[in-house]
DNA sequence: AGGCTAATGACAGCCACTGACAATTGACAA
DNA sequence: TTGTCAATTGTCAGTGGCTGTCATTAGCCT
């Protein structure tokens, strides 16, 4: 005769194991490098078998991006909730800037924010991780393109504009990521500012001539 | 001392081995899938040891992109040789369109062009390959950004415009790649036309409002 | 308490990839 | 032509990511 514990002991235990694996994984990745960290080390650090690690994560890579996925989910949701009177690129811009403001608390519920930022840097510096990151970005772009198309009442497979708009936007974000990865010690506020600066650069880029003399 | 004698028996033999490995690899990839093809199978198909395969290619992935790299190299070269009076995006556009016209002969010297096109489709459909492809694109983008910056006499680390321009361009190309991958049976001419169409869509995308009613 | 089921560990095996060393084979000069 | 040198290759052993299988453990429910 137990009060209906919505979250059984089982569920809580699973959650704790997953969190522990994630934290240990990111900690090891960021301190000794992604390639130089074995799954056995991670599992050992949480005192579970290697097999258990693979029951929680599809692979090493999956653990590396578990936190990033929070950011992606949040961004897509933000785009969905933008007022309909905003133009597409305006909505994307506002959504990403809003994201920089709220990402902190969202991430902090799983791992320290500092760990997340270090992981981002590592991604930029590790070829295998960068490749995976770009592919995930590509998937998010497709999802966002569908959202934009729906906002504008367009068919994403007929009208090229939604996908092109998102591609342009994603490209600029990517440039910003690269820049951030290259410069040591830029925090979230600087990131926000950089994003705005780079998005503002899109207009001038399309001008015919850049040279003034 | 003859400097011309690049054609030692040794050199020719090596070249033949490499070509054979490449052809067999792509043939197997495109017929039975990338993941379902083992390096042992490829090596066996050329009658060399697995170890030898890894002496010619850094990995399975490397073989999959050996041909694509020809296209990349050619594109970068084309951008470099564009007349200086063309605006940045104009130069990129012309370079890529010119690339579609000449890619055929360049590729055909190594593998049948049809094999290359099938490989491109496979890349789009195989997550691991798509990730690697996007990373390589990213590298090319950085290289091209430096070329554009030099053309315009700008410092690529100070002025955001070269990288942003290339990112916008690369984004549009990516959208086109995805579209091409989704539609069966589009050949090179259609690809060329699609590229032009999508590049033309960039301007309208930046307009404030898309909805006309 | 005892049966049911989900979570785990232990083990075997596949595949990509690497280092080391010995065998082979083209290149080149005596 | 032959012997020496260096490049190419094969063999073998080993590491690490990842999966299937099966027995064991541990939460849950009556």
């Amino acid at each position: 005769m137990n009060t209906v514990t919505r979250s059984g002991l089982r569920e809580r235990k699973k959650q704790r194991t997953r969190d522990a694996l994630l934290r240990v994984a990111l900690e090891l990745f960021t301190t000794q490098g992604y390639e130089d960290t074995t799954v056995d080390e991670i599992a050992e650090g949480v005192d579970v078998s290697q097999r258990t690690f693979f029951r929680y994560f599809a692979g090493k890579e999956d653990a590396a991006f578990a936190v990033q996925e929070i950011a992606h989910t949040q961004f897509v949701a933000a785009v969905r909730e933008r007022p309909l009177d905003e133009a597409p690129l305006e909505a994307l811009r506002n959504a990403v800037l809003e994201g920089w403001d709220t990402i902190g608390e969202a991430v902090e519920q799983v791992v320290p924010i500092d760990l997340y930022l270090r992981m981002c840097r590592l991604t930029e510096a590790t070829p295998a991780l960068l490749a995976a990151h770009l592919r995930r970005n590509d998937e998010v772009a497709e999802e966002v393109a569908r959202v934009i198309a729906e906002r504008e009442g367009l068919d994403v497979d007929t009208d090229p504009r939604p996908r092109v708009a998102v591609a342009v936007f994603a490209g600029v974000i990517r440039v910003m990521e690269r820049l951030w990865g290259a410069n040591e010690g830029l925090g979230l506020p600087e990131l926000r500012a950089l994003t705005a600066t780079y998005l503002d650069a899109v207009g001038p880029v399309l001008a015919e001539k850049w040279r003034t003399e």
Side-chain angles (χ1 to χ4, degrees), chain A:
Chain A
M1 181 162 345
N2 213 336
T3 42
V4 186
T5 43
R6 278 284 298 147
S7 52
L9 174 61
R10 227 177 206 162
E11 291 302 316
R12 262 177 294 133
K13 215 172 176 181
K14 272 208 306 185
Q15 193 58 48
R16 255 189 293 126
T17 306
R18 206 194 114 98
D19 287 356
L21 280 170
L22 198 51
R23 239 186 307 266
V24 170
L26 297 195
E27 202 59 61
L28 288 174
F29 289 162
T30 53
T31 50
Q32 56 184 354
Y34 176 73
E35 319 268 16
D36 291 336
T37 301
T38 67
V39 174
D40 289 279
E41 278 179 292
I42 301 169
E44 199 177 339
V46 186
D47 208 62
V48 295
S49 70
Q50 190 218 47
R51 195 67 183 82
T52 293
F53 173 91
F54 285 110
R55 287 203 175 93
Y56 283 95
F57 300 96
K60 231 170 95 171
E61 189 192 291
D62 218 60
F65 289 105
V67 179
Q68 180 74 12
E69 213 171 302
I70 298 174
H72 280 163
T73 306
Q74 211 184 40
F75 172 66
V76 175
V79 175
R80 264 207 184 88
E81 282 160 20
R82 279 280 111 196
L84 285 172
D85 65 333
E86 289 181 342
L89 284 176
E90 189 185 355
L92 292 173
R93 182 197 162 107
N94 288 334
V96 76
L97 289 178
E98 176 186 317
W100 286 129
D101 294 332
T102 57
I103 187 68
E105 349 167 1
V107 167
E108 196 80 42
Q109 308 212 329
V110 190
V111 295
I113 185 107
D114 178 58
L115 192 53
Y116 168 64
L117 294 182
R118 272 188 287 147
M119 195 62 220
C120 286
R121 278 183 196 293
L122 182 64
T123 300
E124 202 67 30
T126 309
L129 287 181
L130 182 56
H133 173 63
L134 293 174
R135 187 174 60 79
R136 281 156 194 264
N137 274 358
D138 196 62
E139 277 167 19
V140 174
E142 175 65 14
E143 199 181 340
V144 172
R146 290 177 191 279
V147 173
I148 292 292
E150 201 187 325
R151 276 171 61 101
E152 303 295 318
L154 302 173
D155 179 7
V156 78
D157 290 314
T158 304
D159 195 315
R161 289 177 296 173
R163 284 207 180 97
V164 169
V166 174
V168 167
F169 178 80
V172 176
I173 295 293
R174 173 75 198 112
V175 170
M176 196 268 298
E177 283 180 351
R178 190 190 270 274
L179 183 73
W180 181 66
N183 292 64
E184 279 293 326
L186 268 58
L188 265 118
E190 291 94 335
L191 250 170
R192 214 198 108 105
L194 270 180
T195 307
T197 304
Y198 271 75
L199 285 176
D200 288 337
V202 176
V205 153
L206 295 180
E208 280 302 302
K209 300 281 185 187
W210 294 358
R211 283 164 288 204
T212 47
E213 51 219 282

